[in-house]
Amino acid sequence: MIFNSIAFLIFFVIVFTIYWLTPKKYYTWQNILLLIASYVFYGWWDWRFLFLIAFSTVLDYVVGRQIYNSVSKKKLFLVISLISNLGLLCVFKYFNFFIESWVNLWSLFGFKISISTLNIILPVGISFYTFQTMSYSIDIYRGELKPSNRFIEFATFVSFFPQLVAGPIERASNLLPQLGRERTMSLNRFKDGVFQIIIGFFRKVVVADAIGSLIDGIYNTPEIHNASSIVMAIVLYSFQIYFDFSGYSDIAIGTAKILGFDFKRNFNLPYFSVSITEFWRRWHMSLSTWLRDYLYIPLGGNKKGIKIQYRNLFITMLLGGLWHGSSWNFVIWGAIHGIVLSLEKRFAFIPKKYSIPKNFFIFSLVSLIWVFFRALSFDDSMLIFSKVIKGPYLTPYVGNISNLARVLYGLIIALSFDAYMFKKDIILEEFGAKLTKTSFVLISTFILINIVLFFSSASNFIYFQF
């Protein structure tokens, strides 16, 4: 089940109605409803993968309590949690990648090895809920969190449907306390949540999906397209992945809000950044802070000298790239970001003030690095860069002009809205409550009309593949 589908609309109306008809003092029953709804939501794709979530839930619930209560075996139970969770992730996401890479490595030396790969289906969202449960065990081990003593609350934390398949990666310290108390609703909270939801749908349907229909053919067959078309696709993909992923996060955060929960922000206008360091403080913030707290800092962070800091940045971003997918293109994408982050530290290129030239440079750099993220293979990436470098650019874009017009229409509205929020320093999570009733109705109606006009079919979100 995906957010931009009729099935989800019906599903959520039913869940929302029953949820708020249940008296708030019976929040345990609300949690049970959310748990059942979350399993229905996830099982809509493939019910067999529910066993993986159930296994991770039971494992980390038991292990978390053992870590907290044990004196001499804390580390052993933590290792059990990490090996089990990472083991599942490696088998389902990376097994074939490692096998194929091993075979290709030996083939470079003239050896032909025949090893069968498995026909493994990647469970949707496994990277997200694995990181979520791992952080729970690690926080208990560090003494920063007490384990949950209510299995229903913990199971709901792991599987909570708004953020289950593509984040934000919620910390137990934020979400578990909310599951353990009564939730309330107010007009301002409802306006904030609904407004963020419809903004998310606009970003996904009107902007991201329109861009995808225009540039997917270019990225999938770069050999037949000219340099002008490829440069256009590179720029537009930056906007596609941003509006697609931030749109999902907006719907997730808004949905949680009108159910009485507060999620952490996941995006903060990243393309207004003036350095790669700032970009990663604004892009997919729940992952960035997770990598910082559970990988970069444990490696030593910036406490052991500048060379060790460069190493830690590189390793963190390299593994962050691999987290996104089982392909060398993702590894290269992460490695480049690690190198650039290290260079910024080395030459102190971290401007504090916004300026258009610096912003344009960072956007261009990020867009070029995105090529490795989107291209189907390393060879395609090299072909794309080759065409960008060689040109010529005298040949104009050849394609569907009406599709291009639709893209520009949605993009202008979306970017204007982002620019307004950046200039006014407004947080989207609090935008709806600031509107008068008349403004709220008029703006929401305009957005909804555009969503209906642009909607054609329920397409998956880009980050579902991770």
Side-chain angles (χ1 to χ4, degrees):
M1 193 183 301
I2 55 179
F3 286 159
N4 51 325
S5 67
I6 301 300
F8 177 76
L9 178 61
I10 297 171
F11 162 84
F12 184 69
V13 169
I14 294 172
V15 172
F16 179 84
T17 304
I18 299 175
Y19 180 83
W20 285 117
L21 284 177
T22 304
K24 61 183 181 181
K25 65 179 180 179
Y26 298 118
Y27 61 84
T28 298
W29 287 101
Q30 290 180 323
N31 291 342
I32 293 173
L33 170 65
L34 292 177
L35 178 60
I36 295 171
S38 297
Y39 272 62
V40 171
F41 174 83
Y42 192 74
W44 202 266
W45 279 283
D46 192 326
W47 62 270
R48 293 171 297 179
F49 293 138
L50 291 174
F51 291 105
L52 291 179
I53 296 181
F55 173 78
S56 293
T57 300
V58 173
L59 172 76
D60 286 293
Y61 179 77
V62 173
V63 167
R65 296 180 65 81
Q66 292 298 324
I67 292 173
Y68 184 77
N69 294 322
S70 176
V71 176
S72 60
K73 297 182 179 180
K74 288 180 180 289
K75 184 171 290 187
L76 172 63
F77 287 113
L78 175 64
V79 170
I80 290 174
S81 173
L82 297 182
I83 291 178
S84 299
N85 283 294
L86 291 175
L88 285 175
L89 189 61
C90 287
V91 168
F92 281 92
K93 190 169 184 175
Y94 301 110
F95 180 83
N96 287 341
F97 170 65
F98 290 143
I99 291 296
E100 291 169 358
S101 297
W102 178 255
V103 171
N104 292 335
L105 176 63
W106 280 104
S107 67
L108 294 175
F109 299 98
F111 297 97
K112 291 185 178 181
I113 301 177
S114 178
I115 302 178
S116 298
T117 56
L118 300 178
N119 186 23
I120 299 176
I121 302 174
L122 178 65
V124 177
I126 188 172
S127 298
F128 289 90
Y129 69 74
T130 297
F131 270 28
Q132 193 155 301
T133 57
M134 284 171 54
S135 65
Y136 170 80
S137 300
I138 295 171
D139 285 349
I140 294 173
Y141 177 79
R142 291 175 173 176
E144 299 173 357
L145 181 72
K146 291 184 178 180
S148 174
N149 57 7
R150 297 179 180 177
F151 180 76
I152 295 297
E153 290 177 9
F154 181 75
T156 307
F157 156 71
V158 175
S159 62
F160 194 27
F161 72 87
Q163 46 80 233
L164 174 59
V165 295
I169 304 172
E170 279 297 317
R171 304 286 181 91
S173 58
N174 178 52
L175 188 51
L176 272 177
Q178 297 183 65
L179 287 164
R181 61 174 181 254
E182 296 177 1
R183 275 81 70 175
T184 58
M185 177 56 66
S186 65
L187 178 59
N188 283 342
R189 169 178 283 275
F190 184 79
K191 287 171 63 179
D192 278 337
V194 170
F195 190 77
Q196 189 160 6
I197 289 171
I198 62 175
I199 289 294
F201 276 112
F202 183 91
R203 286 173 163 175
K204 168 61 177 172
V205 174
V206 180
V207 184
D209 286 352
I211 292 175
S213 66
L214 184 71
I215 69 170
D216 282 351
I218 298 174
Y219 261 106
N220 294 342
T221 55
E223 64 276 3
I224 67 173
H225 292 279
N226 60 45
S228 300
S229 297
I230 287 177
V231 169
M232 180 194 72
I234 291 173
V235 174
L236 288 181
Y237 181 71
S238 293
F239 293 120
Q240 181 193 5
I241 192 169
Y242 164 61
F243 286 114
D244 189 282
F245 192 20
S246 68
Y248 181 93
S249 296
D250 291 333
I251 299 170
I253 294 170
T255 300
K257 180 160 287 188
I258 62 176
L259 289 173
F261 297 91
D262 292 311
F263 284 174
K264 299 293 186 181
R265 296 178 71 188
N266 208 25
F267 285 89
N268 182 20
L269 308 173
Y271 288 147
F272 288 93
S273 304
V274 292
S275 68
I276 295 296
T277 301
E278 184 185 4
F279 172 81
W280 278 105
R281 289 171 181 165
R282 293 173 174 267
W283 175 275
H284 198 176
M285 296 156 67
S286 62
L287 175 64
S288 299
T289 54
W290 198 101
L291 292 173
R292 178 197 67 198
D293 295 343
Y294 301 106
L295 184 56
Y296 176 70
I297 291 177
L299 285 172
N302 58 0
K303 304 294 185 181
K304 297 183 178 180
I306 192 66
K307 291 183 179 180
I308 299 298
Q309 183 183 14
Y310 297 156
R311 182 206 68 181
N312 296 341
L313 282 170
F314 183 77
I315 292 175
T316 300
M317 295 310 300
L318 188 76
L319 294 178
L322 185 61
W323 175 88
H324 282 83
S326 54
S327 163
W328 285 109
N329 266 25
F330 290 113
V331 176
I332 294 170
W333 173 80
I336 294 174
H337 273 283
I339 292 170
V340 176
L341 286 169
S342 298
L343 290 174
E344 285 187 349
K345 297 292 184 184
R346 171 65 179 83
F347 296 105
F349 179 67
I350 307 178
K352 295 183 179 180
K353 292 185 178 181
Y354 172 80
S355 69
I356 292 178
K358 294 172 183 175
N359 171 247
F360 178 77
F361 172 77
I362 294 301
F363 174 78
S364 301
L365 179 60
V366 169
S367 298
L368 289 172
I369 304 174
W370 278 131
V371 170
F372 290 103
F373 199 93
R374 174 59 183 86
L376 298 181
S377 66
F378 178 77
D379 290 339
D380 278 1
S381 301
M382 293 299 98
L383 176 60
I384 289 170
F385 284 121
S386 174
K387 289 201 171 189
V388 169
I389 293 171
K390 294 179 180 178
Y393 291 97
L394 298 177
T395 305
Y397 163 71
V398 179
N400 193 317
I401 300 301
S402 62
N403 281 352
L404 179 60
R406 292 175 67 223
V407 166
L408 293 176
Y409 168 79
L411 202 53
I412 288 171
I413 294 175
L415 291 177
S416 298
F417 180 69
D418 277 12
Y420 175 81
M421 286 196 297
F422 181 78
K423 183 178 180 180
K424 298 293 185 178
D425 195 23
I426 297 174
I427 299 173
L428 178 57
E429 285 76 2
E430 302 173 357
F431 198 103
K434 298 180 183 299
L435 298 173
T436 64
K437 292 181 180 179
T438 302
S439 298
F440 180 84
V441 171
L442 290 175
I443 296 173
S444 299
T445 301
F446 171 77
I447 295 172
L448 288 172
I449 289 173
N450 277 275
I451 292 171
V452 172
L453 291 175
F454 273 74
F455 182 82
S456 57
S457 61
S459 61
N460 277 341
F461 289 81
I462 292 174
Y463 262 67
F464 278 17
Q465 63 185 296
F466 309 134

